[in-house]
Amino acid sequence: MNDRATSEAFIPFTLPENFLLGTATSGLQIEGGDQRNSWYAWAQKGRISDGSSPIVANDHWNRVEEDTRLLEELGVHTHRMGIEWARIEPEPGRYDSDAINHYRHEIGLLRDAGIEPLVTLHHFANPLWLEEAGGWLRPEVIDLFDSYVERVVVDLGDLVSDWITINEPNVYLAEGYVFGEWPPGRQNPIGYLRGSRIMIAAHERAYGTIHRIQEGAGRSARVGVAHHIRAFEPGPRPGSRLVARMHDRLFHRRFLDPMSEHSDFLGINYYTRDIITATMNPGQLFGSRSLPRDASTSDLGWEIFPEGLFTVVLELYDRYDLPVFITENGLCDRSDRKRATFIYEHLLQIRRLLDRGVPVERYYYWTLMDNFEWALGESAPFGLYECDFQSQARTLRTSGRFYRDLCRAHGVTPELIRDINENR
Ligand code: IFM
């Protein structure tokens, strides 16, 4: 089998029967309608580059039936969705039973459609009361998060067995505490270090709580973290290897090493590669990040580098010896010319991993429909469905049809390869 899919050499392949294909979303990015969270407040401060806000997003809160039909139309086997802490606990200690019932209804729809839910408990957004009280820098958040998780699992645990405690803690802390582009907008790396210790402890507590509740009720549970992993490669200058290793330590292993000790699967969100080059500039201790000159990229300038998925998963599986879920992988591509090839090439790398005996169990395409992409607002289309934010019309893209047929066939057929070639 060829390692790299090129235009001349797309090849059909199948995936194992028990391999699950799915889509991923998060609560805040699609739901709309909530003002008591950190991202609504951030938008009110004018911090979203296209001036949009998450107040409507995909209006998913009012369209869960319609959006479940989109998932059914795709024929996905599993779907990763988020639960918003700000909705469940709008004020400290006050739980909103309507919100809980809303999520029960939504997850029930998935189950009725034969779609296995994977539920994320924290995905970048905080209740406003928590944000205003110091967010994830206060050690008290470990207890607060645990109480919220307990409430959710007691109320929804009969419908859900697979959980992600925290999505991309490294990205959350880097954007919020180092680059200052996301709430709370700090530029002090101490916050990154401190916040990481607290998030790691919060995950460990939540892991124990979920297992205790589920096992106490005679149910099984699998719990993990969705880690954002980049393929870091050293550039040509002396010292680059060391600097690339520093990136790996601080951005990946700082979280992976302790969190994997309390995880039933390794969740990996993989998008791209960075070439890390050491510089002589004392203000650039961490070197510079670049991509190869001839790189194929997404609309956001992220390099498309499918082989990186193979490399990082192989390395992480060797180190942590856990089953792997690719909890996110996707492309911002308004023209939709590259997305089907992107999906094909990444799944081909998964096929290679399976052939090497690596237990990759699931793949979640990010994302179901164009949504609110954090500080970029409504201007970064990753969706299998295009969303017109004015009319809220969802339209299946060509790549969405490709993914639908791939889910049905449980692999890539010669007909699908013809489709890729015709649409590139
Ligand atoms: O939209 C985000 C998601 O919330 C977390 N992972 C990366 C995606 C694309 O930027």
Side-chain angles (χ1 to χ4, degrees):
M1 183 182 283
N2 270 356
D3 284 352
R4 175 89 166 100
T6 64
S7 46
E8 308 89 56
F10 287 114
I11 43 167
F13 60 89
T14 55
L15 292 161
E17 268 300 297
N18 56 357
F19 184 89
L20 301 188
L21 290 156
T23 38
T25 54
S26 82
L28 185 114
Q29 288 180 272
I30 61 173
E31 286 174 352
D34 180 49
Q35 300 190 356
R36 287 166 299 191
N37 65 71
S38 49
W39 274 91
Y40 178 71
W42 196 240
Q44 292 296 98
K45 288 188 187 146
R47 299 299 303 267
I48 310 303
S49 57
D50 65 0
S52 63
S53 118
I55 195 60
V56 177
N58 301 85
D59 192 31
H60 171 73
W61 190 257
N62 298 311
R63 294 168 192 262
V64 289
E65 285 82 5
E66 176 184 348
D67 292 342
T68 307
R69 282 195 294 276
L70 302 185
L71 292 166
E72 285 184 274
E73 187 179 339
L74 284 177
V76 290
H77 318 127
T78 178
H79 178 63
R80 176 180 165 210
M81 59 169 276
I83 290 205
E84 282 302 319
W85 187 356
R87 296 228 188 230
I88 301 280
E89 192 179 359
E91 290 159 31
R94 182 174 75 77
Y95 294 99
D96 183 336
S97 50
D98 289 345
I100 291 170
N101 287 333
H102 175 97
Y103 286 120
R104 274 197 76 78
H105 174 62
E106 178 171 0
I107 297 167
L109 290 172
L110 288 179
R111 297 197 70 88
D112 291 348
I115 300 169
E116 180 69 33
L118 170 63
V119 170
T120 312
L121 292 157
H122 186 273
H123 193 128
F124 297 160
N126 291 324
L128 200 51
W129 58 262
L130 178 75
E131 189 79 355
E132 288 173 349
W136 285 84
L137 294 197
R138 288 171 61 221
E140 295 88 319
V141 76
I142 300 167
D143 286 339
L144 296 168
F145 184 63
D146 191 49
S147 304
Y148 150 70
V149 168
E150 177 170 347
R151 182 61 192 242
V152 170
V153 178
V154 165
D155 287 346
L156 303 179
D158 58 325
L159 300 175
V160 181
S161 47
D162 300 325
W163 304 87
I164 288 173
T165 53
I166 302 178
N167 179 72
E168 298 183 352
N170 54 356
V171 172
Y172 170 79
L173 293 167
E175 293 288 353
Y177 292 92
V178 181
F179 306 124
E181 296 292 335
W182 291 8
R186 306 268 157 72
Q187 286 175 294
N188 174 4
I190 300 294
Y192 179 89
L193 299 175
R194 195 179 155 84
S196 63
R197 282 197 294 276
I198 293 172
M199 286 190 134
I200 290 162
H203 164 73
E204 183 179 337
R205 274 280 290 283
Y207 177 88
T209 297
I210 298 171
H211 275 285
R212 175 176 50 76
I213 295 167
Q214 293 297 71
E215 279 145 32
R219 300 190 282 254
S220 64
R222 292 212 289 177
V223 183
V225 172
H227 294 278
H228 183 97
I229 305 292
R230 303 172 82 90
F232 288 136
E233 280 185 23
R237 292 224 194 95
S240 298
R241 204 164 278 284
L242 180 69
V243 180
R245 207 170 314 131
M246 274 161 59
H247 271 78
D248 184 46
R249 286 270 160 194
L250 273 171
F251 196 65
H252 295 153
R253 292 194 56 186
R254 184 171 180 83
F255 299 88
L256 280 158
D257 285 353
M259 286 170 140
S260 297
E261 283 178 26
H262 307 277
S263 290
D264 304 309
F265 59 85
L266 199 55
I268 296 177
N269 296 355
Y270 174 79
Y271 288 86
T272 191
R273 149 171 88 170
D274 293 313
I275 313 280
I276 311 286
T277 306
T279 70
M280 301 297 279
N281 180 349
Q284 265 192 318
L285 252 187
F286 286 94
S288 63
R289 289 197 299 181
S290 62
L291 52 163
R293 224 172 273 130
D294 59 348
S296 168
T297 60
S298 76
D299 293 353
L300 300 179
W302 302 358
E303 185 190 4
I304 299 175
F305 187 60
E307 296 91 332
L309 179 64
F310 180 84
T311 321
V312 301
V313 172
L314 194 61
E315 187 189 322
L316 298 183
Y317 175 64
D318 275 352
R319 185 170 304 129
Y320 302 111
D321 195 19
L322 288 168
V324 176
F325 293 2
I326 305 304
T327 35
E328 287 181 28
N329 172 241
L331 191 72
C332 179
D333 174 24
R334 189 175 295 282
S335 72
D336 200 35
R337 306 290 298 207
K338 298 182 179 175
R339 192 176 283 104
T341 309
F342 177 96
I343 294 172
Y344 168 83
E345 291 188 327
H346 286 81
L347 282 171
L348 182 65
Q349 299 301 324
I350 291 178
R351 181 65 265 180
R352 287 181 64 209
L353 288 160
L354 292 166
D355 292 342
R356 288 278 286 259
V358 180
V360 186
E361 295 187 5
R362 302 181 182 192
Y363 172 87
Y364 291 89
Y365 179 78
W366 182 271
T367 183
L368 175 64
M369 57 191 155
D370 302 342
N371 62 17
F372 178 79
E373 174 61 24
W374 309 111
L376 301 176
E378 294 169 353
S379 305
F382 279 84
L384 296 171
Y385 285 85
E386 182 179 354
C387 179
D388 176 329
F389 291 98
Q390 289 303 315
S391 66
Q392 287 298 335
R394 285 98 157 106
T395 309
L396 189 61
R397 289 196 161 102
T398 301
S399 57
R401 284 200 291 278
F402 170 80
Y403 195 56
R404 175 195 67 193
D405 296 346
L406 195 156
C407 288
R408 286 189 185 149
H410 228 105
V412 180
T413 58
E415 294 72 40
L416 279 172
I417 286 177
R418 253 198 315 278
D419 290 353
I420 302 183
N421 282 322
E422 276 167 18
N423 291 306
R424 279 180 328 134

